[in-house]
Every structure is written in C-alpha cells, then in structure tokens.
Amino acid sequence: MILAVAQKELKILFSSPLAWLILALVQLVLTWVFLAHLDTFLEIQPQLIKIANPPGVTETIVAPLFATAAIVLLMTTPLLTARLIAEERRNHTLPFLVSAPISIAEIVIGKFLGLMIFLSALIALVAALSLSLLAGGRLDFGLLLSNIAGLFLISACFVSLGLYISCLSAQPATAGAGAMGALLGLWVMDTVAADEDGAGIARNFSLLAHYESFNRGMIDTFGLAYFALFTLIFLMLSVRRLDNERMRG
Amino acid sequence: MTEQIGSTAILARGLCRYFGTRVAVHDINLELRRGEVLGFLGPNGAGKTTIMRMLTGNLAPSAGRVEICGIDLLLKPRDAKARVGYLPEIPPLYRELTVNEYLRLAARLHRVESRIIRSALAKITQRCGLSNNREQLIGSLSKGYQQRVGIAQAIIHDPDVIVLDEPTAGLDPNQMREMRSLIRELGADRSVILSTHILSEVESVCDRVQIMHEGRTVFDDSIGRLKQKGTSLEESFVRLTMNQATV
Ligand SMILES: Nc1ncnc2c1ncn2[C@@H]1O[C@H](COP(=O)(O)OP(=O)(O)O)[C@@H](O)[C@H]1O
Ligand SMILES: [Mg+2]
C-alpha cells in the first residue's frame, strides 16, 4: 500500500517538467562546483606533496562538494514537497486516498518515501561524481560513506519538514514558500550560532551543524538520533494534522 | 446468521455532525439492504454530502455510529472501507495519470489481488465505457468521461456499498441516461446510495427515497409505496422543504 502511494507520487512528479528541470539543474551546478574544486586541487597539489601528511582528494574535493550539495538540496526540496498534500487538497483528490482502506500514516509515509526515492537518485549522482575521482587516485571510502549518509539524513529532514508545511496549506505555492522560509531560517540560525562563542546549545539543535560532523567523517550517535527524531516528529505532526482534519471537517 | 448480517449492507444510527455550533446533520438513521438503491433528496446545504462523507470515513461523526456489512466503521475503518466505494461530489481524479494508471492505483489501494488486477481493469473499463480511453490522460477527457472514471474507481474493488454524490450533475441528457442505467445495473446486487437534485431520477433509479432538510430526515419511504398512494414526489418535496423553512 505504502509502495503504491510512493509510486503514484513519483509518476506524478515525473509527469511535470519540474522534476527533470531540478535533476538537470542540480547536476549542472554540482558538476561545476566539483570541477572548480578539482581545478584548485590540481593547482595546489605540488605544494601539498611537500607536507608530511597531505589531505587527499576526498577531503579537498568530495567533502566540499557534499557541503554544497546540502545547501542545494535545502533550496530545491521545498519546490518538491510543496505539492505533496497541498495539491491534493486543491484538486480535491484527498478523499480518493482517505476512502481507501489505508491509514493516514501509510499515506504520509508513502509520500515521504516517494520523494526520498527521487532525492536518492540525486544523491547517487553526487556519489557518482565523487567516484569518478577513482580514475586518477584513491578515495577515503569511510569519509565518502559518512558524507552520503549525512546528505541522505539531512534530506529526510528537509522532506519531512516540507511535507508537514504542505499539510497546513491548500495552495502549493504557499506551502513551497513556507517550507523555503523555514529551511532558510534554520540555515541562518546556524550561521548566527556559529558566529557566537560558546553557542553550544544553538548548535546542538542545528541541522547543518550536525551535517558538518558527517561532512568531516564523524558519525556520532547524537547526530544520527537528532536527524531521525527531526524526521519522525514532522512525519507524526503531518499524520496528526491530517487526522484532525477528519474531526474538524 | 451470516444471512442476517449479509442482508444489511449499511447501517447508521443517531448520526450527528456539528461544524462549530452549526448543526449540519442531526440524528440520522439509515438502513439499507443489499440490492437496494436509496436516493437522497434535499435542497442545497441539507447535509447530503456531509452524511456521505461520514458513511465513507472521510469525516468523523460528532455522535452516532456507522456499520458497513456489520463492521463498525469507526472501530475497524480498514475492514469497513474495503467494502465501500465512494464517488465524491467533485471526482477525485489525478489529471496527470492515464485512465489505466489511475484505475490500477485505485485497485491496489483497495487491496485487489495483484493477479486479478489486469482482468478487473479490463472488466471495469468495459463496463464504464472506457475501453477506448485506457491510455488517455485523465486531464484530456471530457467531463462525462471523467465522471465515468470517477465511477470506475468507486467500483473497481467490487464493493458491497456504493456511495455516489450527485453522479449525474453536469452531464448531458445522453450521458445521464447511460449513468442511470449503469447505476440500476450496480444496484441489482449491491447497495447504492446516491444524492441528486433531479426528482425524476429518483423515481426511475431508486427503490427508496429519503428527503433531507436542514440536516434532518423529513421523509423516508419506498418508491413503490409512493406510487401506490399516488403521491407526487415533487409535491412532497416542496411541501416538506418549504414548510420547515418558514416555521
Ligand atoms: N467543512 C465544513 N465546515 C463548515 N460547515 C460545513 C462544512 N461542510 C459542510 N458544512 C455545512 O453543513 C451544511 C450541509 O452541507 P452539505 O452536506 O454540503 O449539504 P448538501 O450536500 O446537502 O448540499 C451546510 O450548511 C454547510 O454550510
Ligand atoms: Mg452536496
């Protein structure tokens, strides 16, 4: 049942040019960033060799690439999550799902899963770019895996937050703007927190600060738990919100 | 025992719904046997759509209970919903999907076994006159054909109870006739509840009629008895729904 919902989301997503456009643009931007970092690396390589323990390509190219990818996803997921519920509401299609013998939780998870499959394809593209470096050297696979895991987890957070905001609205545009605002707010909060000294608490609750640990290859359980909890909370809020609608009318 | 349970397809007792302090539906009782077609009549805002949304699990009642084939809709929504097909007032169609994709999705969501989905799709498109439109995008279909797709999604899982909210609204006279004969056909071995503004439609399609006014049932009788007594439906409708408004 969940898979049927996920599949439907993907089918509708790919029936519009938006999905293809996003795939193409993200790929273009990230390839460009990738090549820029590669260029810099090749320039400074002669000096790097003189250092006793030189940073490898994974630190100098792959990690910055994933850092950029997270920001790119922060700005594109709202475009994708906006329509998840708001469009069903605008087109009066929610009764189709609600009348079927499936629970609201299954509907929400199905929609979440559908978008995560799409984003996984994007993440796979980033990973493929990184793997292309194997042609000219060695990679630190531990660091690469930690980056992939981090990017996957942070996009799950973006999607669940966007999905919840989509539940609050009957207009996809409003939902998109709302999600974009919320995510940008989180990002700004992060940079503000980074500026202050000893802003430990703010950083403990910042999505991007946790992503940074993954970015440096440090998978801590607190970070994992934080991402999982963030995702779960917004999925549960979405279910609650849709359930309440049946009560309020 | 099973005969007894099987004979009542839909049962509602003391159904109420308030929106804030506003009463939309008040103390509705409903009992429909298999093979019966019930027509809901009533002026706009009488509460027909609200009742149908409660019968299909789209809206929680403020009070009262609903049973589908003896299964409590509020306690076991999954089992109960599996036996209901619903066409809302605005057909819930995904314009971006083809008729085939959409009906396949409906079948999967309603737990139609995957090995019989193909034959179910063939049967349903045949029955609803959609055989030649299976690969067409729903968004490109005319209003009448979209309504057929709406009916098709409501009956693809072979439900015991079919709830149709104004199924003939916006159709041309030919499409209306087709829709009515389809409904009569469906009503032969299933329970159908439909709402409409067309009095003659009730007389030609339904076995029973229930007139609603301001959230209450003001009339409930079988068409056969109505004809026997020689009462005109239109007369009753006007008398009952005007009367109460002036009181
Ligand atoms: N979601 C809602 N919120 C507030 N009031 C509602 C809502 N849905 C229906 N109503 C009210 O309930 C009453 C019954 O409406 P409805 O069931 O749509 O009537 P009908 O289908 O018979 O035309 C109307 O007065 C309407 O204003
Ligand atoms: Mg109505």
Side-chain angles (χ1 to χ4, degrees):
Chain A
M1 286 324 108
I2 293 177
L3 281 182
V5 177
Q7 213 178 3
K8 173 221 134 199
E9 288 307 320
L10 282 172
K11 218 177 256 166
I12 291 184
L13 184 59
F14 278 109
S15 72
S16 81
L18 181 73
W20 298 106
L21 203 67
I22 285 180
L23 271 181
L25 278 180
V26 168
Q27 183 65 356
L28 198 73
V29 168
L30 291 179
T31 310
W32 184 61
V33 169
F34 173 75
L35 290 177
H37 280 298
L38 182 63
D39 198 41
T40 319
F41 176 76
L42 292 178
E43 252 172 53
I44 61 170
Q45 201 181 22
Q47 280 120 33
L48 282 178
I49 291 172
K50 293 175 200 150
I51 309 175
N53 199 353
V57 284
T58 323
E59 284 95 333
T60 48
I61 300 177
V62 174
L65 175 68
F66 271 85
T68 316
I71 301 302
V72 171
L73 284 186
L74 183 147
M75 293 196 281
T76 43
T77 33
L79 301 176
L80 296 164
T81 54
R83 43 160 297 278
L84 283 178
I85 303 289
E87 193 176 78
E88 304 251 8
R89 204 174 272 141
R90 190 183 58 180
N91 295 343
H92 305 279
T93 46
L94 269 182
F96 176 74
L97 298 176
V98 174
S99 310
I102 63 172
S103 63
I104 299 282
E106 283 172 298
I107 296 172
V108 166
I109 294 172
K111 283 173 172 282
F112 172 77
L113 197 68
L115 210 44
M116 282 313 290
I117 292 172
F118 176 80
L119 290 179
S120 300
L122 268 181
I123 295 171
L125 289 176
V126 184
L129 269 183
S130 313
L131 287 175
S132 72
L133 288 172
L134 280 175
R138 300 232 309 266
L139 276 181
D140 177 348
F141 279 104
L143 185 55
L144 178 61
L145 279 182
S146 140
N147 268 296
I148 292 176
L151 193 55
F152 186 78
L153 289 170
I154 203 171
S155 27
C157 296
F158 294 162
V159 172
S160 64
L161 178 63
L163 176 60
Y164 174 60
I165 291 177
S166 188
C167 287
L168 303 178
S169 166
Q171 292 302 328
T174 321
M180 182 78 83
L183 287 177
L184 286 180
L186 281 177
W187 188 20
V188 169
M189 220 172 67
D190 176 70
T191 47
V192 169
D195 283 346
E196 291 168 23
D197 338 302
I201 297 178
R203 280 190 76 69
N204 275 343
F205 290 100
S206 156
L207 275 181
L208 287 156
H210 285 292
Y211 179 65
E212 222 173 273
S213 329
F214 280 86
N215 200 219
R216 278 177 307 181
M218 297 186 304
I219 302 185
D220 62 319
T221 35
F222 182 52
L224 269 177
Y226 179 77
F227 283 140
L229 212 60
F230 188 101
T231 307
L232 209 63
I233 284 176
F234 281 105
L235 288 181
M236 275 169 19
L237 283 176
S238 308
V239 173
R240 243 187 69 140
R241 168 78 202 190
L242 289 178
D243 251 335
N244 277 344
E245 223 151 89
R246 235 163 25 95
M247 306 292 167
R248 284 180 331 174
Chain B
M1 183 71 191
T2 46
E3 252 314 295
Q4 243 172 11
I5 293 171
S7 58
T8 301
I10 191 159
L11 178 83
R13 286 275 172 264
L15 216 50
C16 297
R17 175 71 212 204
Y18 315 108
F19 290 107
T21 55
R22 179 191 186 100
V23 181
V25 169
H26 184 77
D27 196 22
I28 293 292
N29 295 299
L30 207 74
E31 197 170 341
L32 203 62
R33 287 194 314 274
R34 218 176 281 272
E36 256 188 322
V37 180
L38 170 67
F40 264 151
L41 280 175
N44 280 319
K48 307 180 293 291
T49 298
T50 306
I51 295 176
M52 291 182 155
R53 290 178 67 203
M54 287 194 283
L55 295 179
T56 54
N58 278 274
L59 189 69
S62 306
R65 65 191 176 90
V66 176
E67 275 179 24
I68 309 287
C69 303
I71 305 165
D72 194 304
L73 178 65
L74 300 171
L75 297 180
K76 290 182 177 169
R78 198 178 284 257
D79 295 343
K81 281 178 182 176
R83 293 159 178 267
V84 183
Y86 177 37
L87 172 65
E89 205 164 354
I90 302 169
L93 304 175
Y94 297 108
R95 306 172 56 82
E96 304 90 340
L97 299 184
T98 65
V99 172
N100 234 358
E101 288 171 338
Y102 177 70
L103 294 179
R104 180 180 297 274
L105 173 66
R108 283 180 71 190
L109 289 180
H110 280 101
R111 301 168 191 282
V112 176
E113 277 178 68
S114 48
R115 61 185 172 79
I116 64 165
I117 283 187
R118 184 186 286 273
S119 62
L121 277 178
K123 208 172 85 186
I124 215 73
T125 44
Q126 166 81 39
R127 188 165 200 181
C128 299
L130 290 163
S131 301
N132 298 325
N133 312 82
R134 290 177 66 163
E135 299 305 328
Q136 248 173 298
L137 287 179
I138 293 177
S140 71
L141 296 175
S142 67
K143 163 85 183 153
Y145 277 87
Q146 288 189 351
Q147 196 74 2
R148 291 183 191 189
V149 180
I151 291 262
Q153 65 81 26
I155 60 178
I156 185 139
H157 52 295
D158 207 1
D160 299 300
V161 175
I162 302 169
V163 179
L164 309 170
D165 201 347
E166 302 194 13
T168 55
L171 300 185
D172 69 36
N174 290 334
Q175 293 169 331
M176 255 183 214
R177 266 172 60 125
E178 283 170 19
M179 188 63 79
R180 280 178 203 160
S181 72
L182 177 61
I183 293 169
R184 252 192 306 263
E185 218 177 278
L186 291 170
D189 51 353
R190 274 167 271 227
S191 305
V192 180
I193 300 183
L194 65 95
S195 70
T196 178
H197 286 298
I198 306 168
L199 301 178
S200 65
E201 186 164 290
V202 173
E203 280 168 334
S204 74
V205 178
C206 302
D207 305 307
R208 260 174 55 199
V209 56
Q210 195 156 337
I211 299 178
M212 310 281 315
H213 185 57
E214 293 176 344
R216 287 155 212 266
T217 308
V218 291
F219 182 90
D220 182 0
D221 211 345
S222 81
I223 294 289
R225 207 140 7 128
L226 213 60
K227 281 183 182 150
Q228 228 171 36
K229 282 193 278 185
T231 330
S232 134
L233 190 56
E234 183 171 358
E235 216 170 80
S236 312
F237 183 88
V238 171
R239 181 168 46 83
L240 290 163
T241 56
M242 294 287 278
N243 248 356
Q244 302 244 331
T246 51
V247 166

